[in-house]
Amino acid sequence: MKDKFFRDINYMRISVTNRCNMRCNYCMPNVVKNLCENEILTDDEIIETARAAVRCGIVKFKLTGGEPLLRPKIAEIIYKLKNISGVESVSMTTNGALLAENINELQKSGLDSVNISLDSLDIKRFEKITGFNLLDKVLDGIDAAISSGVHTKINTVLQKGINDDEWEKILLIAKENPVYVRFIELMPIGEGKNFWGISNEKILNDIRKKYQGVENDFSVHGNGPAVYIKIPGFLGGVGFISAMCGKFCSSCNRLRLTAQGKLKPCLSFADYLDVREILRSSEKNLIQAKLENLIKKAVELKPREHCFETPVKNSETLRMFEIGG
Ligand code: SAM
Ligand code: SF4
């Protein structure tokens, strides 16, 4: 479905939990109040919402969180999403710590691709950023995902003075493996307001200085506004998600559904439409039609662009682990 700026909105990120087994400094504070189970959308409610979304033109879903692998029966949710007629792909973004032990089941359930977050290859630094000594588990998860054949991407957020010197090492994963390494600019959302990111423009310049023959790669079409390059001799590719320096809003194609059922038209504004209210208070035979109306309304309400560069306008108070990234 097109929004009022003629963007095709065909992608929904679904957060399946607010819980996480890490505490990345720019995403989640150390102490958070756990939500009660009944505040979170049930498996059936997620599928019901996805069915309505597909009728509104959504064909791609990404499961996120918190950490989606902490959600019980996540493979079953993937299987059910994949079996909705019209769904083209179901992917997941995960911190990877529980991936090695789950990848086979996820693959069997139909998972098309996985994005694994990795901000450091140094054990101490990894622990400093994420709060946990889990780098080995994450690297096992990356290896398992690559070996499984599930399409794999690595997502890296660089922070000034913390891990900004690691792009070269992390990039090498894409040299040696058929994966995409993508640099995501730090966004001033929630905890992210307390840290300094690195401009992707700078990383791209540094890459061009180090490697000859870097070319734009227009053949890659992920779920959204990432732009890609190809470096000669690399098995994989490199991508940039430049929320800040690239202001990617003209190619925005998404809605976000939080674990509590808040349907968000845009990351940087607090506005949302309440899916859970409809699911729990409507007559059963009216739910699908009402959800469809709500989703269409969310698409209509999408603003032209985010306002990260004007913090006073940035009304969202939820933090990334509550939204799903
Ligand atoms: N736990 C999973 C993971 O880490 O991939 C999924 C949820 S996490 C919120 C999704 C993505 O959002 C991660 O790649 C994370 O690095 C990114 N993220 C979190 N806070 C961010 C921020 N302030 N700016 C940019 N990216 C952020
Ligand atoms: Fe957890 Fe992912 Fe946020 Fe890190 S980025 S705290 S792994 S939700």
Side-chain angles (χ1 to χ4, degrees):
M1 178 182 169
K2 298 264 190 230
D3 72 357
K4 57 180 186 281
F5 306 104
F6 307 106
R7 297 173 296 200
D8 191 17
I9 310 305
N10 58 15
Y11 169 57
M12 184 182 277
R13 296 178 69 92
I14 301 179
S15 172
V16 292
T17 180
N18 280 17
R19 293 173 53 224
C20 192
N21 49 357
M22 293 191 193
R23 290 290 183 276
C24 301
N25 57 356
Y26 53 81
C27 177
M28 187 169 185
N30 282 334
V31 182
V32 289
K33 196 172 151 272
N34 272 338
L35 295 171
C36 302
E37 206 176 315
N38 73 353
E39 289 179 83
I40 302 279
L41 294 189
T42 64
D43 297 2
D44 287 347
E45 288 171 337
I46 289 173
I47 301 303
E48 193 73 7
T49 309
R51 282 178 49 220
V54 170
R55 283 209 307 283
C56 298
I58 303 288
V59 292
K60 297 182 271 189
F61 292 95
K62 164 113 49 222
L63 299 176
T64 175
E67 175 46 43
L69 291 176
L70 292 178
R71 171 110 184 188
K73 298 197 204 151
I74 187 72
E76 222 171 272
I77 296 177
I78 293 167
Y79 180 80
K80 287 181 179 164
L81 284 173
K82 271 305 283 272
N83 279 286
I84 299 173
S85 167
V87 170
E88 289 176 7
S89 78
V90 177
S91 57
M92 172 184 285
T93 176
T94 168
N95 61 34
L98 298 171
L99 193 56
E101 64 221 64
N102 282 295
I103 190 71
N104 288 342
E105 199 189 355
L106 297 173
Q107 188 175 29
K108 270 188 221 141
S109 65
L111 188 72
D112 292 291
S113 66
V114 64
N115 293 355
I116 306 167
S117 300
L118 177 72
D119 294 348
S120 178
L121 287 167
D122 175 88
I123 291 181
K124 288 271 168 273
R125 232 185 232 182
F126 183 94
E127 185 169 356
K128 188 174 168 209
I129 294 170
T130 67
F132 288 86
N133 180 3
L134 286 169
L135 177 60
D136 286 348
K137 297 275 274 173
V138 174
L139 295 178
D140 287 348
I142 292 173
D143 285 345
I146 294 171
S147 312
S148 74
V150 171
H151 190 67
T152 303
K153 297 192 192 106
I154 309 292
N155 284 342
T156 300
V157 175
L158 295 172
Q159 301 175 64
K160 204 178 227 163
I162 295 183
N163 63 342
D164 50 345
D165 56 348
E166 286 216 43
W167 65 266
E168 289 193 59
K169 270 201 284 172
I170 295 177
L171 198 69
L172 292 181
I173 300 176
K175 181 172 188 196
E176 287 143 21
N177 301 279
V179 301
Y180 287 92
V181 168
R182 308 186 316 164
F183 296 101
I184 304 182
E185 282 182 343
L186 184 75
M187 295 175 232
I189 294 265
E191 303 301 302
K193 290 178 188 154
N194 306 323
F195 298 90
W196 290 102
I198 295 289
S199 148
N200 271 344
E201 232 163 54
K202 177 185 176 337
I203 301 301
L204 180 56
N205 277 338
D206 289 349
I207 291 175
R208 286 190 193 281
K209 274 187 217 151
K210 186 172 167 77
Y211 294 97
Q212 300 291 310
V214 172
E215 282 181 6
N216 289 336
D217 186 352
F218 299 108
S219 68
V220 190
H221 300 289
N223 281 333
V227 293
Y228 290 89
I229 57 168
K230 188 83 197 140
I231 305 178
F234 274 49
L235 282 176
V238 180
F240 300 90
I241 302 177
S242 308
M244 307 303 291
C245 83
K247 190 106 188 201
F248 52 31
C249 303
S250 63
S251 57
C252 184
N253 61 346
R254 62 202 55 201
L255 293 173
R256 293 177 167 85
L257 182 66
T258 72
Q260 289 160 286
K262 295 177 177 178
L263 185 63
K264 282 180 59 57
C266 177
L267 195 53
S268 77
F269 298 97
D271 312 62
Y272 70 89
L273 298 166
D274 196 344
V275 162
R276 192 178 67 188
E277 162 77 16
I278 289 186
L279 285 160
R280 298 191 183 171
S281 66
S282 310
E283 280 178 46
K284 215 165 183 297
N285 60 335
L286 298 180
I287 288 179
Q288 273 298 310
K290 284 191 175 182
L291 283 175
E292 235 181 276
N293 279 339
L294 196 85
I295 292 163
K296 285 180 182 158
K297 203 160 154 198
V299 171
E300 276 163 27
L301 287 172
K302 277 185 72 63
R304 181 190 293 275
E305 55 188 22
H306 70 60
C307 56
F308 291 152
E309 64 286 354
T310 324
V312 284
K313 289 197 206 154
N314 192 0
S315 58
E316 185 53 274
T317 54
L318 291 177
R319 290 151 299 175
M320 269 314 199
F321 73 98
E322 296 168 299
I323 301 172

